[in-house]
Amino acid sequence: MRVAVVHDWLTGMRGGEKVLEAVFGLFPGAELYTLVHRRGSVSPVIEGRRVHRSIVDRLPLSASRYREYLPLFPFAVEQFGFDDVDLVISSSHCAAKSVVVPGRTAHVCYCHSPMRYAWDQFEAYFGQARVGRPASAGLRRVMAWLAQWDRATEGRVDRYVANSQYVAGRIGRYYNRVASVVYPPVQTDFFTPDAARPRTHYLIVSALVPYKRVELAIDACRQLGRPLVVAGDGPDRARLERRADGSVTFTGAASDEEIRDLYRAAHAVLLPGEEDFGIVPVEAQACGTPVVALARGGALETVTDGATGVHVAEPTAEAFANGLARAEGINWDRATLRANAERFSAAAFATGFTAIVDDTLARHSGRELSTGTGTGQC
């Protein structure tokens, strides 16, 4: 059986790329299709694939400024060909789910989120305060068109798999489709506690992009006079560095080993953004570290208030400062934190996702036989 995996873009190892890595563990012979590939930016498991790149990858500065080519993504993703492919797996938070596949080919979409900036987070990315009034007005029209295209192409997928109940709800709302839920894989055998390590800082591990709301963590820690480490990189870094004082350390991109050490030494990990799932909170809990999280989105499924972390009701610095103060008054149990993280292990992902793929292939094969449009064989 020939398998193709489509991922929006490859410019760094974040949650979506860790899912992609796990998918290749299940389908080691699969070929990879992507809009843009910044060479050397992802793990050897992914870099070792045969990679098919879109026309966007050949445009000037696409590796660093690919978001500026967003209006071209629909055209680019529809140019990929899958005539001799039996199964397409799209790993999608933007355009990957809208690839065009032949009728004989089954298509399973692992959806990290419907396109955020086109549907419900336009202001965070392209509001007037961020890009100015003229640009915001123009981009609003572009995003409205992209949302229409995104909705019109939902039928190109045979089966949607959401990374959380929260995202399954968004798929139902925007695509009018029912999605199965398989939580992303967390390497709980790698992220483990170290009781001997002293707690020295608060921590945020994040891509530095607007919707992550990293500034709330910076401001909350300043209010309490607590040291904060910001691990990650992205287009918002310069703005956030200007906002921070000397108690904030920016590490830039960090290795998994460095991130693990930071988790183990943190009093708590902050999650001020509304995450679709959020692998970071689970990695932190696997290391025995509680999470102070905005009580929205995936955090409601991964963080148990009072047992593995603190839920913060509002996205304000004051609310997060209060959440940190509350966390400091709780005697956290590493075993409880660890047990909660184990629900999201790589083994659980492999079992759940494989079962859905097998079921989809069986259903698709049966449909081909009943309609006479294919052989029904993979």
Side-chain angles (χ1 to χ4, degrees), residues 192-210:
T192 57
D194 182 358
R197 188 178 294 271
R199 309 283 193 176
T200 59
H201 57 262
Y202 285 92
L203 176 65
I204 186 163
V205 179
S206 175
L208 305 186
V209 294

Side-chain angles (χ1 to χ4, degrees), residues 111-124:
C111 186
H112 307 281
S113 172
M115 207 181 299
R116 298 183 189 95
Y117 22 82
W119 286 110
D120 56 8
Q121 294 182 12
F122 176 86
E123 291 298 329

Side-chain angles (χ1 to χ4, degrees), residues 39-244:
R39 283 69 167 174
S41 65
V42 290
S43 71
V45 170
I46 300 174
E47 293 284 356
R49 300 295 96 194
R50 182 184 178 190
V51 182
H52 302 263
R53 304 172 181 89
S54 80
I55 59 171
V56 176
D57 192 74
R58 299 194 290 271
L59 297 176
L61 302 176
S62 63
S64 58
R65 302 179 69 172
Y66 54 92
R67 290 181 180 87
E68 296 179 18
Y69 293 115
L70 188 60
L72 297 180
F73 287 0
F75 172 78
V77 81
E78 290 173 351
Q79 302 313 300
F80 289 134
F82 303 102
D83 288 342
D84 54 351
V85 172
D86 302 293
L87 170 66
V88 168
I89 299 171
S90 56
S91 167
S92 183
H93 58 79
C94 183
K97 71 106 172 97
S98 298
V99 290
V100 180
V101 303
R104 63 173 295 275
T105 303
H107 181 187
V108 176
C109 173
Y110 191 89
C111 186
H112 307 281
S113 172
M115 207 181 299
R116 298 183 189 95
Y117 22 82
W119 286 110
D120 56 8
Q121 294 182 12
F122 176 86
E123 291 298 329
Y125 284 89
F126 304 121
Q128 293 183 22
R130 298 201 60 82
V131 300
R133 178 176 292 182
S136 181
L139 286 166
R140 188 174 295 278
R141 288 191 289 271
V142 171
M143 292 304 128
W145 167 73
L146 276 172
Q148 186 178 40
W149 172 81
D150 191 37
R151 173 66 179 87
T153 58
E154 56 79 18
R156 296 177 183 177
V157 175
D158 291 308
R159 184 82 168 265
Y160 281 95
V161 184
N163 66 358
S164 66
Q165 295 292 345
Y166 174 67
V167 167
R170 299 183 77 228
I171 290 170
R173 185 160 61 251
Y174 299 131
Y175 300 159
N176 196 30
R177 295 286 296 274
V178 174
S180 305
V181 175
V182 177
Y183 290 117
V186 178
Q187 301 301 322
T188 53
D189 56 345
F190 176 82
F191 291 101
T192 57
D194 182 358
R197 188 178 294 271
R199 309 283 193 176
T200 59
H201 57 262
Y202 285 92
L203 176 65
I204 186 163
V205 179
S206 175
L208 305 186
V209 294
Y211 82 96
K212 299 288 188 177
R213 297 192 180 111
V214 176
E215 65 273 8
L216 297 185
I218 292 172
D219 294 349
C221 287
R222 180 190 294 117
Q223 287 186 25
L224 295 178
R226 303 293 191 265
L228 175 68
V229 174
V230 178
D233 212 342
D236 257 15
R237 180 169 178 175
R239 178 182 71 87
L240 293 167
E241 286 181 331
R242 291 192 297 269
R243 190 183 190 104

Side-chain angles (χ1 to χ4, degrees), residues 265-298:
H267 294 289
V269 169
L270 284 73
L271 188 76
E274 184 175 335
E275 294 289 341
D276 301 312
F277 170 74
I279 281 182
V280 166
V282 184
E283 291 177 347
Q285 292 170 74
C287 290
T289 298
V291 180
V292 179
L294 183 67
R296 299 179 189 174

